[in-house]
Amino acid sequence: MNEEIIARAGEIVAKKTGGGNEGYCVLALIDKDGYPTASTISASKADGINWITFCTGLSSNKADRIKKCNLASVCFDALDHNITLVGTIEILTDPDIKKEMWYKGLEDNFDGPEDPNYCVLRFQTDRYNLLVDWKEAKGTL
């Protein structure tokens, strides 16, 4: 049964990638004082619930927090689902990955995928807590 719920959660996450308002989720990171901080961010791409990428600036608060502590949580929420993932996150600056994760809308903040301030955040799920189609699943990947 968990596999079914995990697969359905992955489908929901996939529909919310590619940037834009439909892709917003909450990303929680630990701040410099050790407190959790949460903010909305657009998801760029995902592999089910295994990993999710986000795009931001190297000089952003998010990047600063990740440099100090790579523990993170992601939550996609709507009336019919709550997909909460816990894991680790890393900052990627590889030019090929930056090009692959680029989506329309990022040009409002960056000069293109080659912009030295543009980076990709890659979240890797360790454990999950899912409520999808009114079915629950908890576990580790």
Side-chain angles (χ1 to χ4, degrees):
M1 169 114 121
N2 275 11
E3 294 82 20
E4 203 176 285
I5 298 169
I6 291 170
R8 179 71 178 111
E11 292 170 6
I12 292 168
V13 170
K15 289 179 183 175
K16 295 179 179 272
T17 62
N21 290 336
E22 291 303 314
Y24 278 132
C25 63
V26 175
L27 173 64
L29 302 166
I30 304 300
D31 72 12
K32 64 181 176 58
D33 298 318
Y35 289 93
T37 58
S39 59
T40 57
I41 190 168
S42 295
S44 178
K45 292 195 178 183
D47 175 27
I49 65 167
N50 297 311
W51 58 260
I52 302 166
T53 58
F54 310 97
C55 300
T56 193
L58 276 173
S59 60
S60 70
N61 286 333
K62 290 175 185 71
D64 287 344
R65 290 183 216 136
I66 293 165
K67 290 173 191 172
K68 290 177 176 49
C69 179
N70 73 338
L71 301 178
S73 182
V74 174
C75 182
F76 292 89
D77 186 54
L79 292 175
D80 62 346
H81 64 266
N82 183 295
I83 299 166
T84 301
L85 310 172
V86 177
T88 57
I89 194 164
E90 63 182 324
I91 300 168
L92 304 174
T93 57
D94 178 275
D96 292 334
I97 292 172
K98 288 170 55 169
K99 285 179 190 170
E100 180 185 347
M101 298 304 151
W102 185 265
Y103 58 85
K104 185 170 174 38
L106 288 174
E107 67 272 359
D108 293 340
N109 298 298
F110 303 103
D111 293 330
E114 299 81 17
D115 188 322
N117 187 44
Y118 164 63
C119 68
V120 174
L121 307 179
R122 185 175 189 268
F123 173 83
Q124 181 73 43
T125 302
D126 292 329
R127 65 181 198 243
Y128 57 87
N129 188 349
L130 310 173
L131 174 64
V132 177
D133 301 328
W134 305 110
K135 298 175 189 166
E136 290 186 76
K138 295 179 186 181
T140 59
L141 291 182

